[in-house]
Amino acid sequence: MELLSVKQAAALLGVDDSRVRQLLHDGKLQGQRVGGRWLVAGDSVRDRKDRGPRSRRPLSARNAWGVLAVLDGHQPVGLSDAEKSRVRMRVRNLLAHEGLAPAVFQELLAARAEVRSYRVHSGVLMALLAAQDVVRGGVSAAARVGADYVALGRAEIYVHPEKVEKLEAEFGLARDEERGNVSLRIPPAEMWSFLISRPGMAGQGHDAPASVVAADLLDLHEGRADAAAAGLLKPLLARYTQPRKA
């Protein structure tokens, strides 16, 4: 794997060094720390460059979750009938003009939840993923909902806003934006019923719905994750590509 310095990555992307470090901290570029400095995966830099600059404003959290619920065949929570109709129309228009474009979906859904990065001992990860207050998402639920993606040594979870402090204390979660191995997303409280709508296998907690897992994978900005997300989204989007009955 080709590794670039932060300065080299910044030059390729046309940004300053601090922006590259922020993208690494946010998981939007892939890299590793060696001897106290970042080395950036060349493929992830070129992939981000090919995507081009963000051209769309993210949907509000409320409407982003409305899109995710609609894609998964659920009634959007907390939306008026007019808002539900607009969400469904947004999905149809998106497919008509963009097709299944991972970058577009990622941009539109980016504001759905607050994201925090934590560091815990690797031996704690399995217990954390099985915790009662946790819904597994992203890399932690991908294989469980049928996506061809596995990432060992990392956890992605959703936690109800009122349960975050309890979970931090119970598992000794320490905020670490640089070396975190746990990505914790905090959704709007009213969306929790949708998030827990899919029980885990053999009663093992909950896995996020497939549409949510796909959105999480797209946040990785990595070709393999994009492909896995597309595989999850394709059957969910199929209903919107069928001819409408007269």
Side-chain angles (χ1 to χ4, degrees):
M1 178 176 67
E2 179 191 12
L3 295 174
L4 306 174
S5 69
V6 168
K7 188 171 292 295
Q8 288 171 321
L12 282 172
L13 293 173
V15 298
D16 59 29
D17 295 3
S18 63
R19 177 57 178 159
V20 171
R21 293 190 184 93
Q22 185 61 54
L23 292 170
L24 287 162
H25 297 164
D26 294 343
K28 295 178 180 179
L29 283 177
Q30 304 302 304
Q32 56 187 273
R33 290 181 71 88
V34 178
R37 67 189 185 96
W38 278 106
L39 293 177
V40 192
D43 286 348
S44 72
V45 173
R46 278 182 282 276
D47 183 58
R48 184 170 183 84
K49 183 177 181 179
D50 290 344
R51 289 168 178 266
R54 292 172 66 94
S55 58
R56 300 166 183 82
R57 293 180 58 187
L59 296 172
S60 67
R62 175 189 178 93
N63 284 318
W65 285 101
V67 168
L68 291 168
V70 165
L71 288 177
D72 225 79
H74 289 73
Q75 286 293 324
V77 178
L79 298 183
S80 67
D81 288 343
E83 288 173 320
K84 292 176 185 177
S85 178
R86 285 196 294 271
V87 164
R88 294 188 178 95
M89 184 62 69
R90 185 67 177 267
V91 174
R92 291 192 179 97
N93 288 342
L94 186 63
L95 286 172
H97 293 95
E98 302 281 358
L100 180 51
V104 175
F105 279 90
Q106 191 281 326
E107 290 174 2
L108 291 177
L109 303 174
R112 67 190 178 280
E114 177 189 349
V115 184
R116 298 181 183 178
S117 180
Y118 295 86
R119 182 89 185 161
V120 298
H121 188 278
S122 58
V124 176
L125 288 178
M126 292 304 294
L128 175 64
L129 289 171
Q132 181 179 0
D133 296 325
V134 161
V135 171
R136 292 174 291 268
V139 300
S140 297
R144 302 168 70 96
V145 301
D148 183 17
Y149 193 90
V150 176
L152 301 177
R154 294 163 51 195
E156 288 193 69
I157 59 177
Y158 282 86
V159 179
H160 191 284
E162 296 177 1
K163 301 291 186 178
V164 175
E165 290 186 8
K166 174 177 178 286
L167 200 75
E168 289 175 336
E170 182 178 353
F171 289 92
L173 298 179
R175 295 287 290 270
D176 190 333
E177 299 299 329
E178 293 192 6
R179 298 179 301 143
N181 58 352
V182 176
S183 179
L184 186 152
R185 289 182 172 88
I186 307 172
E190 61 269 26
M191 303 306 167
W192 195 248
S193 60
F194 167 55
L195 269 170
I196 62 174
S197 62
R198 180 188 176 98
M201 295 183 295
Q204 298 175 7
H206 289 86
D207 298 314
S211 61
V212 179
V213 175
D216 297 342
L217 292 174
L218 292 175
D219 283 345
L220 296 177
H221 295 285
E222 182 220 310
R224 194 164 60 92
D226 282 355
L232 288 176
L233 287 171
K234 187 174 181 179
L236 300 180
L237 293 167
R239 75 192 69 177
Y240 293 98
T241 61
Q242 300 300 321
R244 299 182 70 176
K245 293 182 179 180

